[in-house]
Amino acid sequence: MSTEITGASSLVKSLEAAGVDVMFGIPGGAILPAYDPIYDSKIRHILVRHEQGAGHAATGYAQATGRTGVCIATSGPGATNLVTPLADAQMDSVPLVAITGQVPSAAIGTDAFQEADIRGVTMPITKHNYLITDPADIPRAIAEAFHIANTGRPGPVLVDIAKDALQKMTNFKYPKNIQLAGYKPQLKPNDQAIRDAAALIAQSSKPVLYVGGGIIKANASKELLRLAELIGAPVVTTLMARGAFPDSHALHLGMPGMHGTVAAVTALQKSDLLITLGARFDDRVTGKLSTFAVHAKVIHADIDPAEIGKNRFADVAVIGDLAQTIAALIPAVQAEFKKSPPDLTPWLRQMNSLKATYPLGYNHPEDGSVSPQYVIERLGAIAGPDSIYVAGVGQHQMWASQFVKYEKPRTWLNSGGLGTMGYAVPAAMGAKVGMPDTTVWAIDGDGCFQMTNQELVTCALNNIPIKVAIINNESLGMVRQWQTMFYESRYSNTSLDSKRIPDFVKLADAMGCVGLRCDRTEDVDSVIHEAMSINDQPVVVDFSVFRDAMVWPMVAAGASNDDIMIARGLAPDWDSQEL
């Protein structure tokens, strides 16, 4: 004979059955019934200071661990504060389950207190979502939510539960198997598509492996390394794929796109075959789409069929899990190479020449102030490739993608598609919760930091000792760079005066963290080492840096990748290159 329990208890038991070990949230009226059984649950609940922090923390946890992140909020403003993290997770294919409370079912649609149609609001920015008004539906919805979030192309799923459904009695029965009509992600690639792809690779003399974040989502980095070394082709890793292929590998040309390396951008432009793995031909990579890699055929391998042909025609489409796809592609390519092995020597020589001629670099400021690129470069060197680096959005994000050397997947977290300022601190918190024995650095700008730094209180109270490097240039730096270049240096509303107000060291101290300051180049290493030595509290380092440092190389928005600039008004010397 089954014993009836509340819908709220059914929710918590469902989360336990789904394997949840931690969730990030804030209670409120509509979700309050769930917080009573949470009190007795084995699931760790971390009380954040803002629901946006809960969502980004769940994302950071998911990106660092590969497991599904969970956040929980109440109705109305609690739920709407999750909109940005949900949109962020959708853009970057992050497995996330968001639980929200809703007003009682009889009050839905009446503009009741703290009512918002969060299901309608989030429908375009979630992989799927639910509104539950019957407590008997709770276990099924939770099981389906986790299945959908972390299968196929990962993404966020929202489960909105009416308050009376949480209060009513029900029988708990968690489904053992999930069968969803119309949802059957294709994991195994088509054999003919694999053979066609292998044939194109064997015929190519200028191939490039164009690697996107899907490689990391599929845990396919080892397979990628084998494929790259088999083909002997250069590799470029997008912003979301940094760490999917070792930076130190001889075949790696760096990151392509708006702020990519000259070698990576040019390799795509001049190639005759793009071997596209888990990438989506994003505008930040392609530049002006009609001028992107115009002579290249395209192999596009992705688990999401909706991406195939969305922005660029694919000569060969391979739909399936990338680990399985590459595993199938390797023997097919080997068979083709036995017939006629290609000679990529001239192509590699050209790309290596570009790589050597136009390495990433920067100038130290003439006024003696600290170079932000130097700070980030030294941080990466001292913390090392086993640490996790979490960036906000802006100049510091690009410098962190350029000057930290990534050797392993899931060591670089950022908001790539949505470009969410305020992402770094809460995402670093989530990453540290998921990987407690790993050093986690949030590399943040002074603008981003002031959006979500309240989560440092959460870190201090919950023994989550993240480290934060504030790259403090007193500005919304990337916007200021654009104003310098395209708006005649008319700095409209980009000055933050954050070397004066607030005092970040005092602020860190007030939030239970250790605050450090560095404003001299000769002190950068010692301050980083000091921060690295503190592991029982969060640490915040205020690096006062040169205000007008710029991110180079750069392809202006909407411009062709052929028009890449290596400094303001300066293009590569193409005449000296054999391209």
Side-chain angles (χ1 to χ4, degrees):
M1 182 178 176
S2 61
T3 303
E4 285 195 327
I5 60 174
T6 64
S9 292
S10 178
L11 169 64
V12 175
K13 282 181 174 293
S14 297
L15 292 171
E16 290 172 346
V20 176
D21 60 352
V22 65
M23 54 186 171
F24 304 86
I26 301 180
I31 197 66
L32 194 57
Y35 271 77
D36 189 60
I38 285 174
Y39 187 81
D40 297 317
S41 174
K42 64 182 180 181
I43 299 173
R44 180 186 184 189
H45 179 283
I46 295 175
L47 177 64
V48 297
R49 266 49 192 171
H50 193 287
E51 290 89 356
Q52 184 178 348
H56 290 319
T59 292
Y61 172 93
Q63 288 179 311
T65 66
R67 300 191 292 272
T68 302
V70 180
C71 54
I72 184 166
T74 196
S75 63
T80 59
N81 280 340
L82 289 177
V83 168
T84 295
L86 287 169
D88 181 87
Q90 176 80 343
M91 290 284 274
D92 287 346
S93 304
V94 179
L96 197 71
V97 171
I99 312 294
T100 53
Q102 184 54 275
V103 299
S105 53
I108 292 174
T110 69
D111 293 332
F113 176 66
Q114 287 195 332
E115 180 186 2
D117 178 12
I118 196 60
R119 189 178 185 215
V121 168
T122 62
M123 199 163 286
I125 55 167
T126 51
K127 189 175 177 182
H128 193 61
N129 61 19
Y130 296 82
L131 171 59
I132 304 300
T133 57
D134 184 343
D137 294 334
I138 290 173
R140 175 188 57 81
I142 294 298
E144 290 178 1
F146 278 86
H147 175 69
I148 293 168
N150 210 8
T151 55
R153 180 179 184 170
V157 179
L158 178 129
V159 183
D160 192 35
I161 309 175
K163 185 174 184 178
D164 56 318
L166 293 170
Q167 294 170 321
K168 289 177 182 175
M169 304 303 288
T170 186
N171 291 312
F172 172 72
K173 186 178 180 181
Y174 194 77
K176 294 180 179 178
N177 298 302
I178 302 296
Q179 294 293 331
L180 295 173
Y183 181 72
K184 290 181 173 56
Q186 181 178 329
L187 301 181
K188 185 178 183 299
N190 177 272
D191 290 341
Q192 185 60 53
I194 290 292
R195 287 193 292 271
D196 292 344
L200 268 187
I201 291 170
Q203 296 160 15
S204 170
S205 60
K206 296 181 179 181
V208 178
L209 286 152
Y210 165 26
V211 176
I215 285 285
I216 294 175
K217 301 297 187 296
N219 297 311
S221 292
K222 290 181 180 177
E223 290 84 352
L224 170 65
L225 181 62
R226 288 179 58 206
L227 180 66
E229 291 181 341
L230 168 63
I231 300 171
V235 178
V236 302
T237 51
T238 67
L239 182 68
M240 293 306 299
R242 303 290 289 113
F245 191 82
D247 277 1
S248 59
H249 199 285
L251 291 174
H252 193 235
L253 298 183
M255 184 176 74
M258 177 176 276
H259 295 295
T261 66
V262 171
V265 171
T266 308
L268 293 178
Q269 287 298 90
K270 303 298 182 182
S271 68
D272 64 4
L273 178 65
L274 301 181
I275 307 167
T276 310
L277 304 172
R280 57 188 178 88
F281 293 91
D282 176 70
D283 63 289
R284 283 302 194 256
V285 169
T286 66
K288 187 178 179 181
L289 190 58
S290 62
T291 66
F292 175 68
V294 293
H295 301 296
K297 291 186 176 181
V298 172
I299 298 168
H300 195 171
D302 205 287
I303 199 164
D304 184 359
E307 286 298 339
I308 308 296
K310 185 178 80 175
N311 293 326
R312 174 67 179 258
F313 172 78
D315 296 272
V316 176
V318 188
I319 299 168
D321 173 77
L322 280 172
Q324 294 188 38
T325 294
I326 299 173
L329 194 54
I330 287 170
V333 170
Q334 287 171 331
E336 289 289 339
F337 280 11
K338 284 181 181 177
K339 301 177 198 172
S340 55
D343 180 12
L344 303 186
T345 306
W347 174 235
L348 286 173
R349 184 174 62 247
Q350 291 170 351
M351 292 306 102
N352 286 332
S353 173
L354 278 175
K355 185 177 175 180
T357 305
Y358 299 105
L360 290 170
Y362 55 90
N363 295 319
H364 286 278
E366 293 181 0
D367 65 359
S369 55
V370 181
S371 159
Q373 299 99 317
Y374 177 76
V375 170
I376 293 169
E377 185 176 54
R378 294 305 302 153
L379 178 58
I382 293 170
D386 291 327
S387 296
I388 293 173
Y389 302 89
V390 188
V393 169
Q395 288 181 312
H396 63 280
Q397 174 194 25
M398 294 298 104
W399 290 323
S401 72
Q402 292 175 330
F403 293 105
V404 176
K405 302 304 179 187
Y406 300 99
E407 298 294 312
K408 301 176 181 180
R410 302 192 186 280
T411 56
W412 161 248
L413 315 184
N414 79 122
S415 171
L418 197 64
T420 306
M421 292 180 68
Y423 165 91
V425 169
M429 175 174 69
K432 184 66 175 177
V433 169
M435 304 293 287
D437 297 326
T438 301
T439 299
V440 178
W441 273 98
I443 299 175
D444 221 357
D446 49 313
C448 287
F449 181 73
Q450 292 184 75
M451 292 191 172
T452 52
N453 62 42
Q454 68 270 19
E455 298 308 337
L456 285 170
V457 174
T458 310
C459 291
L461 291 173
N462 288 277
N463 189 30
I464 308 170
I466 67 169
K467 305 180 193 300
V468 182
I470 305 173
I471 308 302
N472 185 355
N473 62 0
E474 300 183 84
S475 303
L476 299 172
M478 189 62 88
V479 186
R480 181 181 172 90
Q481 176 168 335
W482 283 45
Q483 287 174 334
T484 300
M485 296 180 66
F486 308 120
Y487 293 90
E488 300 176 347
S489 298
R490 289 162 56 85
Y491 300 120
S492 174
N493 290 283
T494 47
S495 178
L496 294 173
D497 290 321
S498 40
K499 291 181 183 176
R500 188 168 58 92
I501 299 174
D503 184 322
F504 289 130
V505 174
K506 289 181 179 178
L507 183 62
D509 182 64
M511 291 193 287
C513 307
V514 175
L516 304 172
R517 178 173 284 115
C518 179
D519 52 17
R520 300 193 315 162
T521 300
E522 55 265 39
D523 295 334
V524 167
D525 279 23
S526 62
V527 171
I528 294 171
H529 280 294
E530 184 177 357
M532 290 288 291
S533 71
I534 301 168
N535 294 302
D536 56 353
Q537 290 178 265
V539 183
V540 177
V541 186
D542 180 10
F543 288 100
S544 178
V545 300
F546 181 53
R547 188 173 207 173
D548 285 313
M550 290 195 183
V551 182
W552 302 110
M554 180 176 179
V555 177
S560 169
N561 282 348
D562 293 327
D563 298 325
I564 189 171
M565 296 176 284
I566 56 175
R568 192 175 182 185
L570 187 62
D573 181 9
W574 297 120
D575 291 338
S576 66
Q577 302 297 318
E578 298 177 8
L579 295 173

